[in-house]
Structure formats: C-alpha cells, structure tokens
Amino acid sequence: MLLLFSVRRVQPLTRTLRVPSRRGFSALSVLSAPITSAFCVIGDEILNGKALDANSQVFAQRCFALGVELEKIEVVPDKHQAIADSVRQLSRKYDIVFTSGGIGPTHDDITYEAIGRAFGCELRYHEPTMSRMRRIMASRASSHGRWTTPDPKGTPDQIACARMALLPEPALVTYPCDQYWVPVVCVNQNVHIFPGIPRLFDELATAYLPGLVGRISSDAPQAFTRVLVGTQLKESTIAPVLEKLQAQYAPMGIKLGSYPNWLPPHVRKQQESGSTGKSENETKRNEPLVVLSAIGRDVDSLDACKRDLCSLLEGFEIIST
C-alpha cells in the first residue's frame, strides 16, 4: 500500500543580498543561487552527552519554511579557537550563519569573546542592553523574587550579570522580542549570535529570521515543494527503483530520500485519532514501513516523479495537506 502526503510549498530565494551595517542594511551583490545558511552549536554539554541539542532542528525548520537552504550544522566545544575557526569558515562559505549557546554569565560562556576575536572586534559593555536588563528584570522582580542589577564595577554577581552585555564591537545589535532583554548580535555582516536556551532560541529565531530574509532578498521567490510518499514495501525492495528515479530526476532539481518506520507527527496524530475501535494489527497495516521524500522546485517535474513512485511501487495514494 502506498500513502502520499503533500506538504505545503515554501520559497527558495535567489536575491539581491543586503548585509547589516552599523546604520542598517545595504545592498552588496546579487546571488545566483538560493540563500544558504549554516548553524554552529556551541557547548561542551552537547558533546559530552549531558544535553540534547534542539536548536538546530528549530533552525532547520525555520529555514525550510522560508526557503533558505540549510547546508551545514556544526557542534563545537567551549574553546576559543574551535569557536573562532568554525564561525570564520562558515561566514566565508554561507550567506547566513546562526550560533547558539555560550552567552551566559559564567566562566565557560565565551561565545562573544571568541567570535569577537575571530573577526578582530573589541569587547565593550553595551549600555542599551544593560539598560534593557535593568528595566525588564526589575519589572519581573515582584513575581520572580530577587534580581541582580548588571554593573561592571559592582559586586561579583553584578559583574557576572553585566558580562552578558559585554558584546563585540562593531556589531549590529537588535532585540527581536520586546518581552526579553536578550539581544541578537550580528558580527561580520552574516554571523548572528543567539542564546542556547531552547525556548528562548525558538522565540528569538522565529521573530528574527523572517525579517532577516526579507531584508536580504528582493526578487520574487520561486516555489519549493515537498511530497512524502509512504509504502509498505521493504526499503531493500524500494532501493533499486529509488536509485533509478533519483538519477532520472536529479537534473530537474529533485532530491529523493528514504525514511523507514517514520511518519510526520501531524499524520501520525491523524492516524491515531482515526484508529479508535480498530485492532492493533489493523492499525499497523495502515502504517507505511517506509516514507519517501521528494523535494523539488518545478511542480510539473515533481508531479511526474510522484506518479512514477506511485506506479512503480504498485500502490495507492492518500493526500493530506
């Protein structure tokens, strides 16, 4: 049995690139390819298994929804040279670079310093950020209890708090979410520094990335479509067909992938809600063993690929948007 799920189109971008300067954004050049991005996760806790990184997935989802091609994800330790080497390389190769982690008040939070060194920036206390810290922290003190005032010349805990506003200069500093004092700091025109706390990263990235893409793009976007095809055939059975189809449709810009024992969360939820009264065996018979992904920009070519997948796998399709 073959199940087909159609996922909404998104927009890959071929644009005039506009880069941030200290006075705003200015045109730099015209891109002949879709906007590319990379993500650098910073933190020993990821590499030693203490914490599971969620931010790279959020960034990937936001990029896909906006038509930005995420091409690389790196994880580096809390070491100056490792961070500097990573962001320098990524900044040279990709149009947008996000980092997450390492901007807190403790000794191992060295991201601002390391990225500043990487691009020859000095570190200076950023008074607008400290002012936001004081105002927003004070407004929450009544419900959250005691709070620390950032002061570079104050007590040890005040100095540690102020450390979170010790930012690279020159840089473009923005505040995507009014409810937070935490800034997004852009260095070297395309390296955007974010906190590592997942909830905070999600909210800041969701607010920040669409505006960034809008500022660096000017042309009308080209449609980008993803189709998911499910089958109960084994992956070893599918493999020869998939290889031939990939070779056939690669010149049309279509990428095929295979994912066993997987369903999109919203599709699984639909199936579970519709399985009331059915036996476990009946429910499993309706689940695909393998989900095939077809991603492309040309709708006609993608439709032809979809038809080939259906006919060659001898199945039937169910479309869910």
Side-chain angles (χ1 to χ4, degrees):
M1 177 176 68
L2 185 73
L3 310 176
L4 181 104
F5 309 102
S6 179
V7 181
R8 68 181 178 89
R9 293 178 192 170
V10 297
Q11 318 265 336
L13 306 166
T14 44
R15 302 285 179 264
T16 299
L17 179 63
R18 299 183 183 278
V19 297
S21 65
R22 298 193 68 184
R23 294 185 178 181
F25 283 76
S26 57
L28 179 64
S29 62
V30 177
L31 297 176
S32 59
I35 290 177
T36 60
S37 67
F39 193 73
C40 179
V41 185
I42 299 167
D44 290 344
E45 68 275 12
I46 305 299
L47 293 171
N48 63 28
K50 177 179 178 291
L52 179 66
D53 171 57
N55 296 338
S56 58
Q57 183 184 29
V58 168
F59 183 63
Q61 291 169 341
R62 302 297 177 268
C63 285
F64 187 82
L66 293 168
V68 176
E69 293 193 0
L70 175 58
E71 296 192 348
K72 191 164 192 177
I73 297 174
E74 290 189 348
V75 183
V76 297
D78 294 313
K79 295 181 179 179
H80 288 90
Q81 196 62 51
I83 298 169
D85 289 346
S86 176
V87 296
R88 271 197 301 260
Q89 183 182 33
L90 296 176
S91 179
R92 286 194 297 264
K93 190 170 182 180
Y94 302 101
D95 303 313
I96 297 172
V97 179
F98 273 33
T99 75
S100 77
I103 63 169
T106 58
H107 70 283
D108 56 345
D109 291 309
I110 59 172
T111 294
Y112 287 141
E113 182 180 356
I115 293 179
R117 287 186 191 178
F119 299 111
C121 302
E122 297 182 1
L123 289 183
R124 298 183 186 277
Y125 287 104
H126 192 252
E127 184 54 42
T129 297
M130 286 199 291
S131 177
R132 285 179 63 92
M133 291 173 68
R134 297 185 189 104
R135 175 173 57 83
I136 293 176
M137 287 180 176
S139 68
R140 295 177 179 176
S142 58
S143 58
H144 294 279
R146 183 174 176 270
W147 62 285
T148 301
T149 303
D151 185 350
K153 298 181 180 179
T155 61
D157 60 334
Q158 291 175 323
I159 294 172
C161 186
R163 191 168 183 261
M164 294 186 288
L166 189 58
L167 309 182
E169 188 179 278
L172 184 65
V173 181
T174 59
Y175 307 93
C177 297
D178 291 339
Q179 68 270 33
Y180 299 125
W181 64 262
V182 183
V184 174
V185 181
C186 178
V187 178
N188 200 46
Q189 300 179 335
N190 69 341
V191 177
H192 309 268
I193 306 171
F194 281 76
I197 299 171
R199 177 184 55 81
L200 191 55
F201 175 87
D202 190 348
E203 293 189 43
L204 289 172
T206 299
Y208 182 81
L209 187 57
L212 173 64
V213 171
R215 289 191 294 270
I216 67 174
S217 64
S218 63
D219 300 336
Q222 183 181 359
F224 185 55
T225 303
R226 176 167 59 187
V227 171
L228 300 179
V229 175
T231 177
Q232 289 188 338
L233 296 177
K234 294 180 179 179
E235 199 169 25
S236 56
T237 304
I238 294 168
V241 176
L242 198 63
E243 185 175 2
K244 290 179 181 178
L245 288 176
Q246 179 62 87
Q248 177 182 343
Y249 285 99
M252 305 171 196
I254 292 177
K255 296 180 180 179
L256 299 177
S258 174
Y259 308 94
N261 301 313
W262 175 82
L263 273 178
H266 74 282
V267 175
R268 182 170 294 281
K269 186 175 181 180
Q270 288 176 0
Q271 286 201 352
E272 289 175 351
S273 63
S275 63
T276 305
K278 296 181 180 179
S279 68
E280 184 176 348
N281 289 336
E282 286 178 311
T283 301
K284 288 184 177 179
R285 279 199 298 270
N286 291 326
E287 291 187 3
L289 292 179
V290 179
V291 173
L292 307 175
S293 170
I295 298 176
R297 300 171 186 169
D298 182 79
V299 175
D300 293 337
S301 298
L302 193 62
D303 285 343
C305 180
K306 176 179 63 179
R307 290 193 298 269
D308 283 342
L309 285 170
C310 292
S311 63
L312 292 172
L313 293 175
E314 300 179 356
F316 63 91
E317 63 186 60
I318 299 175
I319 299 176
S320 174
T321 58

